[in-house]
């Protein structure tokens, strides 16, 4: 069984290689090849899962050493895989959701002439993501980490002919770079402290190195997680990343890649436990982000950007849980998996709506769509109920546990975190209800051409090619798109309940991540009741604003907070003022320095070499006699020098 | 019992028949034998049949000689079974077999470029190669026109090539000074003739050959004089014998002779002259002046062969001389060689900056590379030997490949070697330009090419051998050199093509194979060099 772990990565990697190098000959079968290899990886994962279940809890971890990548003296970088319960969870999520989204993309990308390339990139992403979660050391994890970053860049910018997509891809890449530097510094500190990258030795001995080192590593890992998982302060790229095709948003920017930061924190749990300061930083980041994302989600009229704000917020929950230590790890991962189902389902639903609406993304130009796309409506609706934490559905179980755990942190901190999480749940209910009402209920606002709206600079003009407004004819999407949505809807409904049945998920992960029961200062039932009240409050408010009154086609000016939230709470303005401007001045100064000082030296040297060269080549005059003289002189000098050496 | 004594007595009276180890000598014998057969072909085969017969014979000879080298290496002659053969005239050991293998492979690749007949436009309906229709005809004269019209080609180049290769195989193996000299002449004389045989620009070619011959003869005189002085010093021409006298442990000579030997002035002067002769062959400053002129004038396939194989053979001989004959004099020759290495690196790199002809540019680059290799030689450690062996192997394939590319870029006057004509080549012929760029990057020593691995190895060996300052100069010279290599790349890819510029000829599979092998070796030795580094370090022990 050990030897087949590598195949999990190899199958999609092969797909990427074949599809990207294969050329146009594969255009007609490319998407089938890509989907088949993703499915193969999923089947293999299922087999490994079955095998793993057949073993005792403490014998479930498998290792495969593939080869020594860079064996130089004390520097031992191995390509080795580790498949334990935590990796297994991710592998199943990645390959399962990944395969569904491959299937969905067959329909969604049907009319794109670069479909083969798209599937190649998707396969590349799967390979890199699997490498990330299967690595048994930080260096190999870093390789996967960079790999998913690359795939994400390529896929966000897949429609690179749109300047907005190309810019979004660059933005994602650059912001992620900041996080990646954190990871690389963390790895360097690990190597200089422990002399190895492997999870086992590093995590076992981190407790003995002193808190300072652990804090440094922890904060750097947190920086990395912030970049990849779009947490404050490195969150700004996720909204723009929605420029990518919708299946990409579903797979990479909702279900899998953006959760890599949570994986990293949970995997490195021992480091954070040894560094309370870093742990506090993690929960702070999580709490701030979960509110930040939720507020942004309330103000967006672009359906995908609203969902992106929601993703940010939900990952904030996971990071918060991961920062709580053993009382939260399991729930962080559980929420990650349930979120993988319902958020991917919601995105696919959004894609299906766009598919039927001439690629319109502005929810103010939707309305009353439930009649026209019933399957999308039902699956999206189930995802909606799951994400707001409707009792009995997936999101309820996982989110409720996180809120409980946040209260269980204890002290003032516990109250603040728990309160934030509770408030987040209310806001989640509000913005998701808003999305639901604006899209599927109310009057059919898409029937009339919209007025130009100078008030909404943040919302892209519709992709109608600048021509006359064309009234869309909403219709249900093809089977290849609806089937994955239905499958994911099942996950949205049942996964949470299944996981909580007899604490199945806790028992499954506890051997890897460790688990303790948290004891909140108020009873668990009270917390649950409060969550439900918050939920009802959010839904009710949304109903008052968007259900009872007609939704204006042109967004009203709104309050100061609304306007700020539409601009992503001014995050880009903040980055522009705090980072971009000073950076510009710095580079200008450096350029000046470069021109005057460095170039002066360089050009001076070049001129000197050139001049010398011009003089020296004159010795090469073409006459054999002068060559002979030079040889004679050379030999004389040689002899003289040799004799002189002996003399001294 | 008495018969045995009688035989012993008789044997002392007559000259003993030498023992010849035909097995160990097989590579040399095969090549020289094939050269002799080639001469017979020239004499007896009809003109039409010669091209095919000669190319097949040469290819077969080089390939089977290489097989023999591999066989010897596998049989342990490179390590445990290493020893002296032919009455001590030749040493068959690790460095010998490694360098012979490299020389044979490079020659085989060169042979492909020699045999190329698709590049030149047809002369009166016949395919012609890069060599003169009739070497003896006066350039531009009536007899030349007649020879061209008759479709003559100089198929003598193949036996000449084989003779040169034969000499080169012996050169690094030579274990006494006379064999060294004979081998030098055996490979030099055919090269002089080959240089004179260009089909286009014949006057330039003949001038190059004459210069090469005159200066070569001059340097041979230095070498011979050095041999005489060393004989005067040691009373023997055998490497081991000289080394013993140097180390003052001579046991084999008589008392009378011992009294006349051991004059250090003879030793130092002779050693220096010997070095001068060998440094001429590797093209190190100040014995480098012939290089640009000859590289430019010679037919390009010959230039490629000469630049690669001669350098390998000459550095092999130099290594053996310094490590076997003169190890006791390390402190005497090292400072001098330091100077030569620094001068070669600096002069080669600096003068190349203002060159405008591709072949001259590559010539100066080869001078700079001679300096880099000398840095490894100076290390005077086993790592130094193996790094030089590796560098030679890597460098020779890059060189042959680069000159093979030069043969492809042509205009109405034959090869277009002026750099201005290469402007924009990357747009017209991306593949050819990309291949040439790979070779240039290898010359410049950019990672993932063999040039980087080789340079890293010699500089590392030099630094460990206590020549840190030399490494600094080497790195600075590399930086200067990188300028003109990259300038060519910029010229090819980022300049607009000129109207009426050269076109890239479509070669036959022969040249394509040669270039492909060059690229392959360059990349393999750059990406996964470990096996070859190990091979070179196993081969890096001289037998004494």
């Amino acid at each position: 069984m050990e030897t087949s772990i590598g195949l999990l990565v190899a199958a999609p990697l092969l797909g990427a290689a074949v599809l990207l190098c294969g050329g146009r000959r594969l255009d007609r079968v490319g998407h089938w090849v890509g989907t088949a290899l993703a499915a193969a990886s999923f089947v293999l994962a299922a087999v490994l899962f079955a095998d793993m279940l057949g073993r005792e809890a403490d014998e479930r971890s498998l290792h495969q050493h593939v080869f020594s990548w860079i064996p130089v003296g004390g520097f031992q970088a191995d390509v080795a895989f580790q498949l334990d319960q935590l990796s297994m969870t991710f592998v199943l999520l990645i390959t399962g959701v990944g395969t569904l989204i491959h299937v969905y993309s067959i329909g969604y990308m049907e009319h794109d002439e670069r479909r083969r390339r798209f599937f190649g990139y998707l396969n590349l992403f799967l390979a890199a993501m699997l490498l990330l979660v299967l690595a048994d050391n930080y260096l190999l994890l870093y390789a996967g980490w960079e790999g998913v970053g690359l795939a994400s860049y390529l896929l966000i910018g897949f429609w690179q002919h749109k300047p907005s997509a190309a810019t979004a891809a660059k933005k994602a890449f650059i912001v992620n770079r900041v996080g990646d530097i954190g990871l690389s510094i963390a790895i360097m500190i690990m190597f200089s402290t422990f002399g190895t990258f492997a999870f086992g030795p590093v995590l076992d001995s981190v407790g003995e190195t002193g808190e300072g080192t652990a804090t440094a590593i922890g904060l750097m890992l947190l920086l990395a997680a912030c970049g990849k998982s779009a947490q404050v302060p490195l969150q700004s790229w996720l909204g723009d990343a929605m420029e990518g095709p919708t299946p990409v948003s579903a797979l990479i920017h909702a279900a899998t890649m953006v959760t890599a930061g949570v994986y990293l924190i949970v995997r490195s749990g021992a480091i954070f436990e040894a560094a309370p300061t870093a742990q506090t930083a993690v929960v702070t980041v999580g709490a701030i982000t979960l509110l930040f994302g939720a507020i942004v989600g309330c103000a967006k009229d672009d359906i995908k950007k609203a969902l992106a704000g929601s993703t940010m917020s939900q990952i904030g929950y996971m990071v918060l849980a991961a920062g709580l230590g053993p009382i939260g790890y399991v729930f962080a991962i559980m929420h990650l998996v349930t979120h993988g189902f319902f958020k991917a389902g919601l995105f696919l639903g959004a894609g299906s709506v766009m598919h039927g609406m001439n690629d319109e993304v502005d929810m103010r130009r939707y309305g009353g769509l439930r009649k026209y796309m019933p399957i999308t409506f039902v699956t999206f609706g189930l995802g909606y109920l799951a994400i707001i934490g409707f009792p009995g559905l997936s999101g309820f179980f996982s989110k409720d546990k996180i809120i409980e755990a946040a209260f269980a942190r204890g002290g003032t901190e516990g109250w603040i975190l728990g309160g934030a999480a509770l408030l987040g749940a209310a806001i989640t209910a509000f913005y998701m209800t808003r999305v639901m009402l604006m899209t599927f209920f109310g009057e059919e606002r898409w029937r009339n051409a919209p007025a130009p709206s100078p008030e909404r600079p943040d919302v892209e003009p519709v992709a109608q090619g600048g021509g006359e407004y064309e009234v869309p004819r909403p219709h249900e999407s093809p089977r290849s798109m609806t089937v994955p949505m239905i499958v994911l809807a099942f996950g949205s409904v049942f996964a949470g309940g299944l996981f909580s049945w007899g604490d199945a998920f806790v028992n499954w992960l506890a051997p890897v991540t460790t688990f303790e029961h948290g004891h909140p200062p108020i009873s668990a039932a009270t917390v649950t009741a409060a969550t439900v009240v918050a939920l009802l409050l959010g839904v009710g408010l949304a109903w008052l604003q968007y259900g009872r009154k007609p939704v204006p086609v042109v967004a009203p000016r709104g309050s100061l907070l609304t306007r700020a939230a539409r601009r992503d709470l001014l995050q880009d303005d903040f980055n522009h003022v705090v980072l971009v401007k000073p950076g510009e001045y710095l580079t200008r100064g450096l350029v000046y320095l470069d021109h005057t000082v460095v170039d002066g030296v360089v050009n001076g040297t070049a001129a000197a070499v050139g001049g010398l060269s011009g003089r020296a080549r004159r010795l090469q005059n073409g006459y054999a006699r002068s060559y002979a003289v030079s040889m004679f002189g050379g030999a004389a000098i040689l002899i003289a020098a040799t004799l002189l050496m002996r003399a001294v | 019992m008495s018969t045995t004594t009688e035989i012993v007595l008789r044997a002392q009276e007559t000259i003993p028949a030498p023992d010849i180890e035909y097995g160990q000598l097989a590579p040399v014998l095969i090549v020289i034998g094939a050269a002799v057969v080639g001469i017979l072909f020239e004499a007896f085969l009809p003109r039409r049949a010669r091209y095919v017969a000669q190319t097949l014979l040469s290819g077969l000879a080089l390939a089977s000689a290489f097989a023999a080298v591999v066989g010897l290496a596998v049989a342990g002659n490179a390590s445990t079974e290493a020893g002296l053969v032919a009455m001590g005239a030749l040493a068959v050991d690790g460095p010998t077999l490694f360098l012979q293998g490299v020389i044979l492979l490079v020659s085989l690749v060169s042979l492909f470029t020699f045999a190329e007949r698709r590049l030149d436009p047809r002369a009166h309906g016949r395919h012609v190669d890069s060599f003169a229709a009739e070497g003896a005809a006066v350039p531009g004269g009536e007899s030349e026109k007649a020879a061209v019209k008759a479709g003559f080609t100089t198929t003598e180049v193949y036996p000449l090539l084989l003779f040169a290769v034969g000499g080169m195989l012996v050169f690094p193996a030579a274990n006494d000074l006379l064999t060294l000299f004979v081998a030098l002449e055996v490979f030099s004389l055919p090269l002089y003739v080959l240089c004179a045989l260009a089909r286009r620009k014949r006057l330039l070619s003949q001038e190059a050959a004459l210069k090469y011959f005159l200066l070569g003869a001059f340097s041979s005189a230095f070498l011979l004089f050095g041999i005489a002085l060393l004989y005067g010093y040691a009373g023997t021409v055998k490497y081991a014998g000289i080394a013993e006298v140097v180390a003052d442990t001579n046991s084999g000579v008589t008392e009378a002779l011992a009294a006349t030997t051991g004059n250090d002035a003879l030793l130092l002067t002779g050693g220096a002259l010997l070095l001068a002769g060998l440094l001429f062959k590797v093209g190190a400053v100040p014995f480098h002046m012939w290089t640009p002129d000859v590289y430019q004038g010679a037919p390009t396939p010959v230039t490629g062969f000469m630049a690669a194989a001669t350098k390998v053979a000459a550095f092999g001989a130099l290594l053996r001389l310094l490590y076997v004959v003169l190890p006791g004099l390390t402190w005497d020759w090292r400072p001098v060689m330091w100077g030569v290495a620094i001068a070669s690196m600096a002069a080669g790199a600096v003068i190349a900056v203002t060159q405008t002809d591709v072949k001259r540019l590559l010539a100066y680059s080869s001078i700079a590379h001679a300096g880099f290799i000398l840095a490894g030689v100076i290390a005077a450690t086993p790592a130094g030997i193996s790094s030089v062996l590796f560098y030679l192997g890597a460098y020779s394939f890059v060189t042959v490949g680069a000159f093979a590319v030069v043969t492809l870029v042509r205009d109405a006057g034959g090869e277009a070697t002026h750099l201005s004509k290469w402007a924009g080549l990357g747009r017209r012929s991306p593949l050819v330009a990309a291949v040439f760029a790979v070779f240039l990057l290898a010359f410049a020593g950019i990672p993932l090419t063999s040039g980087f691995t080789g340079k890293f190895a010699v500089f590392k060996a030099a630094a460990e051998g206590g020549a840190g300052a030399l490494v600094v100069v080497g790195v600075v010279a590399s930086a200067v050199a990188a300028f003109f290599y990259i300038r060519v790349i910029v010229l090819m890819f980022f300049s607009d093509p000129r109207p009426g510029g050269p076109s890239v000829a479509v070669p036959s599979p022969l040249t394509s194979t040669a270039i492909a092998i060059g690229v392959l070796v360059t990349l393999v030795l750059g990406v996964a060099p470990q096996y070859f580094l190990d091979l070179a370090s196993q081969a890096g022990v001289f037998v004494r």
Side-chain angles (χ1 to χ4, degrees):
Chain A
M1 274 295 146
E2 280 93 346
T3 49
S4 52
I5 301 175
L7 290 178
L8 285 171
V9 182
L13 195 62
L14 173 76
V18 168
L19 293 178
L20 294 179
C21 306
R24 295 189 180 286
R25 273 158 290 164
L26 293 175
D27 272 354
R28 287 179 52 205
V29 293
H31 46 288
W32 294 115
V33 175
T35 311
L37 284 165
S41 202
F42 175 64
V43 171
L44 181 60
V47 171
L48 284 165
F49 178 59
D51 174 67
M52 184 179 272
L53 286 179
R55 271 173 289 129
E56 289 296 313
D58 48 357
E59 288 170 8
R60 281 180 175 168
S61 180
L62 291 180
H63 282 268
Q64 182 191 4
H65 182 267
V66 185
F67 62 92
S68 290
W69 184 14
I70 314 173
V72 181
F75 184 93
Q76 187 76 23
D78 288 338
V79 173
F81 296 126
Q82 169 183 350
L83 184 69
D84 57 10
Q85 289 92 321
L86 181 59
S87 307
M88 191 76 238
T89 312
F90 271 89
V91 168
L92 287 173
L93 177 73
I94 295 162
T95 55
V97 175
T99 306
L100 287 175
I101 285 171
H102 272 76
V103 174
Y104 179 91
S105 306
I106 295 174
Y108 191 85
M109 300 296 285
E110 193 172 0
H111 305 297
D112 196 303
E113 56 186 20
R114 291 161 75 231
R115 179 162 67 164
R116 169 183 56 83
R117 187 172 286 273
F118 180 80
F119 277 84
Y121 292 155
L122 277 187
N123 271 206
L124 179 68
F125 168 76
L126 283 188
M129 189 71 204
L130 289 168
L131 185 68
L132 196 165
V133 298
L134 285 170
D136 94 325
N137 60 68
Y138 281 99
L139 197 66
L140 192 61
L141 179 146
Y142 187 63
W145 191 271
E146 291 294 322
V148 294
L150 170 68
S152 159
Y153 167 78
L154 292 169
L155 286 165
I156 295 172
F158 188 74
W159 288 319
Q160 58 204 225
H161 52 84
K162 286 201 298 185
S164 57
T167 313
K170 264 188 270 180
K171 185 173 177 186
F173 199 76
I174 290 168
V175 176
N176 267 292
R177 208 103 297 274
V178 178
D180 295 352
I181 286 173
L183 184 54
S184 69
I185 292 176
I187 293 175
M188 288 178 212
I189 301 176
M190 277 175 206
F191 185 72
S192 63
T193 314
F194 309 107
T196 175
F197 308 111
F199 289 147
V202 169
L203 298 176
D204 286 345
S205 50
V206 71
E208 301 147 21
T209 53
E211 205 184 312
T213 316
T215 306
I217 299 177
L219 288 177
M220 286 298 126
L221 290 177
L222 174 63
L223 182 65
C226 283
K228 198 59 87 193
S229 296
Q231 300 293 293
V232 175
L234 295 180
Q235 81 290 6
S236 63
W237 63 274
L238 187 63
D240 298 86
M242 296 301 126
E243 290 291 341
T246 307
V248 172
S249 310
L251 176 62
I252 301 185
H253 305 119
T256 56
M257 184 191 84
V258 285
T259 58
V262 181
Y263 172 78
L264 185 68
I265 296 175
V266 172
R267 181 58 89 189
S268 315
I271 295 175
F272 288 95
E273 281 157 38
T277 318
Q279 226 173 8
T280 309
V282 173
V283 291
T284 311
V285 164
I288 291 179
T289 310
L290 81 86
L291 292 175
F292 187 105
I295 293 170
V296 170
C298 292
K300 290 288 181 186
D301 290 331
D302 177 329
I303 185 168
K304 285 180 73 182
K305 291 196 174 173
L307 290 178
S310 152
T311 302
M312 208 185 280
S313 162
Q314 296 302 311
I315 297 171
Y317 275 105
M318 300 171 209
V319 169
L320 169 64
L324 294 172
I327 55 173
Y329 293 143
V330 174
F331 303 124
I333 302 299
M334 183 160 135
H335 193 55
L336 194 155
V337 176
T338 55
H339 175 257
F341 284 119
F342 56 68
K343 186 52 69 63
L346 288 170
F347 265 111
L348 296 189
S352 174
V353 170
M354 286 161 57
H355 195 72
M357 292 289 290
N358 294 352
D359 286 331
E360 174 63 74
V361 290
D362 185 356
M363 292 188 291
R364 292 188 184 277
R365 295 180 204 167
Y366 290 169
L369 292 176
R370 66 181 185 284
K371 282 180 282 187
Y372 301 96
M373 14 185 110
I375 301 179
T376 306
F377 169 63
V378 171
T379 54
F380 196 93
L382 289 172
Y384 154 74
L385 291 176
I387 192 173
I388 64 172
F390 193 80
L393 273 70
S394 284
F396 169 75
F397 293 101
S398 49
K399 197 188 289 179
D400 186 51
K401 290 286 182 195
I402 291 179
I403 297 173
E404 264 177 49
F407 277 113
R409 176 137 175 123
T412 326
E413 232 176 282
W415 284 104
I416 294 174
L417 294 175
L422 213 51
L423 181 61
I427 307 178
T428 306
F430 176 81
Y431 68 72
M432 281 313 297
T433 310
R434 173 175 176 269
V435 168
M436 201 64 196
L437 291 174
M438 284 172 87
T439 306
F440 293 103
F441 295 89
E443 58 185 274
E444 298 172 355
R445 295 182 298 277
W446 38 269
R447 291 212 176 270
N448 300 313
S453 53
E455 282 296 318
R456 295 181 293 120
D458 59 316
V459 175
E460 283 276 306
V462 208
Q464 73 272 70
E468 288 284 302
Y469 181 74
E470 197 183 317
V471 178
R473 295 199 189 79
H475 57 272
E476 191 52 273
S477 296
R479 188 81 50 84
S480 67
M481 288 167 68
T482 50
V483 170
M485 286 154 56
I486 295 169
V487 175
L488 287 170
F490 272 98
S492 311
V493 174
F494 299 112
L498 219 58
F499 291 163
S500 302
W501 194 290
D503 282 341
F505 202 75
V506 172
N507 295 336
W508 158 251
L509 269 189
V512 183
T513 58
T514 65
F515 176 71
E516 301 172 4
H517 272 289
H519 301 289
I522 43 178
S523 77
T526 319
V527 174
T528 308
T531 314
V532 173
V533 170
L535 154 73
L536 293 175
L537 216 61
V539 173
L541 274 176
W543 164 253
L544 285 180
Q545 192 166 352
Y546 298 98
R548 231 172 38 152
K549 309 185 276 199
V551 179
V553 178
V554 176
R557 194 170 143 77
S559 69
L560 202 63
L561 179 65
T562 315
R563 272 179 285 150
R566 276 190 198 135
R567 293 178 64 97
D568 299 316
L569 290 179
L570 304 177
Q571 59 187 7
D572 287 338
D573 309 75
F574 178 83
N575 287 348
H576 190 74
V577 172
V578 176
L579 299 172
V580 177
K581 275 292 163 194
E584 258 175 35
Y585 288 126
L586 183 67
T587 46
R588 260 186 231 159
L590 287 177
V591 166
Y592 177 74
L593 207 67
D594 185 52
H595 275 308
T596 49
V597 181
V598 180
D599 282 5
V601 174
V602 170
N603 293 338
T605 315
V609 170
L612 197 63
S613 179
R615 295 239 162 73
R617 66 184 292 200
R618 268 184 234 153
L619 292 175
Q620 191 79 25
N621 56 13
Y623 293 120
R625 55 178 185 264
S626 56
Y627 294 179
V629 168
S630 125
M631 282 172 62
F632 185 79
I637 294 171
L638 214 60
I639 294 167
T642 316
L643 291 175
L644 197 69
M645 279 304 140
R646 177 56 66 94
V648 290
Chain B
M1 192 66 202
S2 64
T3 41
T4 325
T5 328
E6 199 178 351
I7 290 167
V8 171
L9 285 173
R10 277 230 194 124
Q12 281 170 345
E13 284 162 17
T14 56
I15 298 173
D19 286 331
I20 301 296
E21 291 83 350
Y22 291 101
Q24 276 103 311
L25 290 173
V28 182
L29 294 179
I30 291 170
V31 172
I32 300 277
V36 173
V37 175
I39 296 288
L40 294 178
F41 280 5
E42 286 300 318
F44 297 110
L45 281 186
R47 216 176 257 282
R48 278 173 290 113
R50 287 183 202 161
Y51 169 72
V52 174
Q54 292 283 24
T55 45
L56 283 182
L57 174 72
S58 312
L60 207 61
L62 293 172
S64 45
F66 180 72
V69 167
V70 173
L72 287 172
V74 170
N77 280 293
S79 47
T80 48
E81 303 287 313
L84 304 181
V85 299
M87 307 293 283
L90 293 179
V92 175
D93 54 11
T96 298
L97 290 175
F98 187 92
L99 293 175
Q100 286 184 339
V102 171
I103 291 170
L104 286 165
L105 280 184
V106 166
S107 307
L108 193 60
V109 176
S110 300
L111 176 71
F112 292 157
T113 62
F114 272 55
E116 175 64 55
R117 287 197 158 191
R118 295 264 181 86
L119 295 177
D120 244 297
R122 290 183 181 204
H124 301 282
R126 281 169 227 269
H127 288 297
V128 291
D129 51 24
S130 319
F131 299 101
E134 192 173 11
V138 178
E142 285 303 321
S143 59
E144 187 187 35
K145 281 178 192 150
V148 170
K149 194 164 186 182
F152 288 178
T153 51
T154 310
T155 41
E156 287 89 346
V157 294
Y158 301 102
L160 285 170
L161 172 74
L162 289 180
F163 275 122
V165 174
M168 288 173 184
L169 294 180
V170 176
F171 204 47
N175 201 41
D176 67 46
L177 294 173
L178 282 180
T179 313
L180 181 80
F181 181 71
V182 171
L184 175 78
E185 293 304 322
V186 168
F187 80 75
S188 294
L189 290 170
L191 283 180
Y192 302 146
V193 181
L194 284 171
C195 285
L197 289 176
R199 174 170 285 267
R200 312 286 193 116
K201 298 173 189 154
R202 288 195 63 203
L203 284 175
L204 198 62
S205 163
Q206 294 188 346
E207 183 192 327
L210 189 66
K211 277 183 191 166
Y212 192 19
F213 171 66
L214 287 174
L215 298 173
F218 194 43
S219 82
S220 294
F222 283 128
L223 189 87
L224 204 52
F225 193 30
I227 290 173
L229 292 180
L230 278 182
Y231 181 71
Y233 165 77
T236 175
V237 291
K238 287 194 183 306
Y239 282 7
I242 300 170
E244 278 179 8
V245 179
V246 172
D248 208 11
T249 57
N250 52 335
S251 48
V253 287
T254 58
E255 286 292 318
L257 197 52
T260 66
T261 59
N263 181 336
D264 274 1
L266 290 182
L267 169 67
L268 295 175
T269 316
L273 285 170
L274 210 56
L275 286 181
L278 291 176
L279 289 174
F280 173 84
K281 280 293 161 196
V282 304
V285 175
F287 310 100
H288 67 288
M289 307 284 263
W290 61 277
T291 325
D293 292 13
V294 175
Y295 277 22
Q296 187 186 15
T300 308
V302 175
T303 311
F305 167 66
M306 183 163 75
T310 310
K311 203 155 256 178
V312 177
F315 266 110
L318 188 65
L319 274 179
R320 190 176 294 282
L321 191 72
L322 292 180
Y323 283 73
V324 176
V325 184
L326 305 176
L329 290 184
T330 308
W331 294 108
D332 293 293
W333 62 256
R334 272 188 93 179
V336 179
M337 295 296 274
W338 265 66
V340 173
I342 290 175
S344 300
M345 291 190 277
V350 168
I351 305 181
V353 166
T354 43
Q355 295 305 314
T356 52
D357 183 283
V358 176
K359 287 169 82 177
R360 286 185 86 84
L361 180 82
L362 292 179
Y364 282 106
S365 129
S366 90
I367 295 169
H369 280 278
F372 297 139
I373 304 176
L374 278 176
V377 172
I378 289 168
T381 56
I385 303 177
S386 59
S387 73
V388 170
L389 295 182
F390 182 86
Y391 200 117
L392 288 171
Y395 174 76
S396 53
F397 281 96
V398 180
T399 306
V400 173
F403 279 106
V405 174
V406 173
T407 63
L408 300 184
V409 183
R410 310 178 79 91
D411 60 14
E415 289 160 14
T417 53
H418 199 276
L419 269 179
S420 65
K421 294 183 179 167
W422 286 54
L425 193 72
R427 308 222 180 140
R428 275 203 300 261
S429 312
L431 183 65
V432 170
V435 165
F436 198 62
V438 169
F439 290 134
L440 288 173
L441 292 176
F443 279 133
I446 304 296
L448 297 186
T449 63
S450 61
F452 172 75
T453 323
K455 231 175 227 177
F456 183 76
V458 292
F459 284 166
K460 182 161 169 273
E464 284 169 358
L470 202 57
V471 175
V472 173
V473 176
V475 171
V476 172
S478 301
V480 175
F483 166 74
F484 58 79
Y485 295 127
I486 302 219
R487 191 182 61 156
V488 177
I489 297 179
V490 170
L491 190 71
M492 289 192 301
F493 285 97
F494 301 104
S495 309
D496 288 323
R498 286 198 185 179
S503 58
V504 169
V506 179
S508 70
L510 288 167
T511 300
S512 312
T513 314
I515 294 174
I517 293 174
V519 172
L520 194 71
V521 172
T522 304
L523 294 181
V524 168
L525 292 191
V527 175
Q530 199 56 48
Y531 172 77
F532 301 93
L533 285 171
D534 291 345
L535 198 68
S537 86
Q538 284 163 16
V541 182
F542 285 105
V543 71
R544 287 175 205 277

